[in-house]
Each structure stands twice: as C-alpha cells, then as structure tokens.
Amino acid sequence: MRLLLADDQALVRGALAALLALEEDLTVVAEVGRGDEVVPEARRTAPDVALLDVEMPGLDGIAAAAALRAALPACRVLMVTTFGRPGYLRRAMEAGASGFVVKDTPARQLADAVRRVHAGLRVVDPTLAAETLAAGVSPLTERETEVLRTARSGGTVADLAGALHLSEGTIRNHLSAAIGKTGARNRAEAIRVAEQNGWLLGE
C-alpha cells in the first residue's frame, strides 16, 4: 500500500513516516510540507492513501483533500491532525476524506486506520465524532466567519472595515451577531469559541 504524507512540521512528518514504514504492507512513497504540493506529488507517485494534516501553508488540508479527490478519485484521504476540532471533521468529510484521526493515535491504530480507509471504510476518532454531533454546524454566516477570521490578527473596527471593504457599522453588526451566536462576552472570546469549534478554517 503506497502512502503520501503531508504535514508542514518536518519532525512530525518524519516520525509518521518512520512509524508507518515499520509495517510490512505500508510504503511511504511521498512526503510534502505544503497543502498545494499534495496533488502534484500524488500525480507523480500515485499513492493509495494520502495522510493529510489540516493546517498547512499554501492550501489547508481540507481544501487539499477536496482537490486530491477531484484529481485522483482512487486515492483515499485520511486526515491526521493535532487539531481535533468538531468543525474540521464535518468539513473534512464533506471534502471527501474517508477518515479523521488525531496525531497522538497509537502507531498500531494509525496503521489500522490506513488499512481500513484503503479498504473503503470510514475511520473517525470516536471522541471527535461525539463532539462534532454535540457542537453541530457553525451558526455563523459566511460574512460573520470572514469578519472573525480577519479579526484574529487584531486591529480596530476601522482596520477590519478597510481590510474587508465594508462600512464600520456593518463590521460592528457582524461582530455583535457573532458574539451573540457564540455565547461570548466580547470579540476575543467569540474568536476563541469559533476557533475551538473549527469554524474559522480558511476556505
């Protein structure tokens, strides 16, 4: 079984490769550190399963999963991430991923997850599955999500308005709505709640 690994942390990628290489039936044929390198490398090496991190430069892992499924439908996708956030799981499955596990999954279980995904089965971290059902879909509109995402780097309402080409009044309205929907007391808390639920990952 041929595997592609995508993770922007070289140390993590190397450790994963070393662990999976211990399994007789698994061979790592490609390693990349950016999301936008996944499809070109997969075209070159024809992996059976791609193990993708969620947060990578160039293209996030969920977008990379969708691009890979479109380019090479026969290649299965297993998301392997530090960020076990409910919103990420839902979006990964919508993007065509067959599985979603966290990086601290024991090596034997990870290898088993790869085999099961390759066999056409779905593999989902049980704790994350329960949290996803409890958290539900993001209550934020696309524009509220965009405003909160932009607000993560700080800045005044005027700064946000300039960055998003909206009026200050509109920005205030979107921030107020987002604060209300997340049950937060202020902008910073709304951003934290939305991030914890995986609602702010870039499209």
Side-chain angles (χ1 to χ4, degrees):
M1 204 180 308
R2 298 164 62 81
L3 310 181
L4 176 148
L5 305 183
D7 194 302
D8 62 331
Q9 296 179 326
L11 216 67
V12 173
R13 201 168 65 238
L16 271 177
L19 285 171
L20 293 168
L22 296 173
E23 303 289 327
E24 287 180 16
D25 57 335
L26 305 181
T27 306
V28 176
V29 294
E31 294 181 44
V32 298
R34 294 174 55 90
D36 51 8
E37 294 173 345
V38 170
V39 171
E41 193 63 14
R43 285 189 195 280
R44 195 179 69 77
T45 57
D48 299 305
V49 180
L51 288 79
L52 310 181
D53 186 21
V54 171
E55 296 195 351
M56 291 186 286
L59 198 65
D60 71 64
I62 292 172
L68 183 57
R69 293 292 292 154
L72 296 166
C75 180
R76 306 277 181 187
V77 176
L78 176 63
M79 306 302 297
V80 184
T81 183
T82 309
F83 303 98
R85 293 172 182 159
Y88 287 4
L89 170 59
R90 188 181 302 277
R91 289 191 49 212
M93 293 305 179
E94 287 168 356
S98 298
F100 199 113
V101 295
V102 289
K103 282 181 184 167
D104 58 7
T105 300
R108 193 171 295 276
Q109 277 179 241
L110 180 59
D112 187 51
V114 169
R115 293 185 189 101
R116 292 176 66 189
V117 162
H118 182 248
L121 302 173
R122 280 202 185 277
V123 179
V124 177
D125 180 89
T127 305
L128 189 56
E131 287 173 359
T132 298
L133 290 172
V137 186
S138 172
L140 304 171
T141 65
E142 198 173 318
R143 190 43 69 84
E144 287 159 4
T145 302
E146 188 181 21
V147 170
L148 277 191
R149 200 182 287 139
T150 307
R152 279 193 292 197
S153 53
T156 63
V157 167
D159 294 333
L160 297 176
L164 295 171
H165 310 293
L166 297 170
S167 73
E168 291 184 27
T170 301
I171 293 290
R172 284 193 191 91
N173 289 342
H174 285 312
L175 284 173
S176 176
I179 289 166
K181 288 178 180 180
T182 54
R185 287 166 296 187
N186 54 44
R187 180 168 89 175
E189 193 175 306
I191 291 168
R192 191 169 69 252
V193 169
E195 280 188 325
Q196 284 170 348
N197 282 294
W199 296 334
L200 298 187
L201 191 66
E203 292 299 330

